[in-house]
Amino acid sequence: LNLLPVGLDRAMVTLEVWSRPPSIQPPSHREATVHQGGEVRLECRAQGVPSVLTPHPHPNRTHVPNPRVSIFPNGTLRIVAAGPADRGLYRCMASNPAGAGSLSVRLHVSSLRPAIQQPREERVTRPAGMPVYAHCSALGAPAPSIRWRTPDGTLLLPSHPPGLS
């Protein structure tokens, strides 16, 4: 039995693939400041078609595991107990088959100059032989250390006399 071709038919199909490279919110560059010793969160939210691969924030230096730094599933980078070494440019990058997007955040770590909480001068009068208590507390970032000097310039070492905490 011989089969003979009886005809040929063709159909043309156009396939359109919709895609959109990732866009990251907030804007592509911003600044952030944290006080030394404080906590900062750098957000990185990405959208695109098809779905965007999870964004990964990276500092602008070699990655070294650090227990103070964590990345949440939504792409937010969290740094606790920030210090001078955390300063710099951080980049969050997201990608899908249509392209890539990035966000740059320059992180500043600021210090607060020590400020003594008591009046600048205080006059204390006590009978001879009686203990004298003079109070000194200060605020700052990082937390300042407090030292006392006697009128002749002697630096006093910290101590914890009985009854004082």
Side-chain angles (χ1 to χ4, degrees):
L1 187 63
N2 287 340
L3 297 176
L4 298 173
V6 293
L8 184 61
D9 196 5
R10 290 184 185 188
M12 183 176 266
V13 176
T14 302
L15 175 63
E16 291 185 19
V17 178
W18 291 85
S19 64
R20 187 175 68 231
S23 64
I24 297 180
Q25 298 299 324
S28 61
H29 183 79
R30 67 185 184 98
E31 308 270 326
T33 301
V34 62
H35 289 305
Q36 189 167 331
E39 175 183 317
V40 66
R41 293 180 186 220
L42 307 177
E43 291 185 356
C44 182
R45 297 185 306 270
Q47 294 178 333
V49 177
S51 296
V52 175
L53 300 176
T54 305
H56 298 284
H58 294 285
N60 191 18
R61 54 185 169 267
T62 305
H63 175 69
V64 177
N66 187 332
R68 297 181 305 100
V69 178
S70 54
I71 301 173
F72 294 111
N74 68 358
T76 297
L77 174 70
R78 175 182 176 227
I79 302 172
V80 296
D86 297 313
R87 291 183 181 123
L89 187 66
Y90 288 77
R91 290 188 66 208
C92 172
M93 294 161 283
S95 63
N96 68 8
S102 68
L103 162 70
S104 296
V105 179
R106 182 162 301 280
L107 181 63
H108 303 278
V109 179
S110 69
S111 299
L112 292 178
R113 179 171 173 253
I116 295 177
Q117 301 302 105
Q118 283 71 32
R120 215 161 164 81
E121 278 192 35
E122 187 177 354
R123 192 173 298 269
V124 178
T125 305
R126 298 286 293 160
M130 296 297 291
V132 174
Y133 297 100
H135 302 283
C136 182
S137 59
L139 295 177
S145 60
I146 295 175
R147 296 182 301 269
W148 285 89
R149 285 194 184 272
T150 62
D152 67 2
T154 303
L155 180 64
L156 300 176
L157 297 176
S159 62
H160 298 285
L164 288 182
S165 54

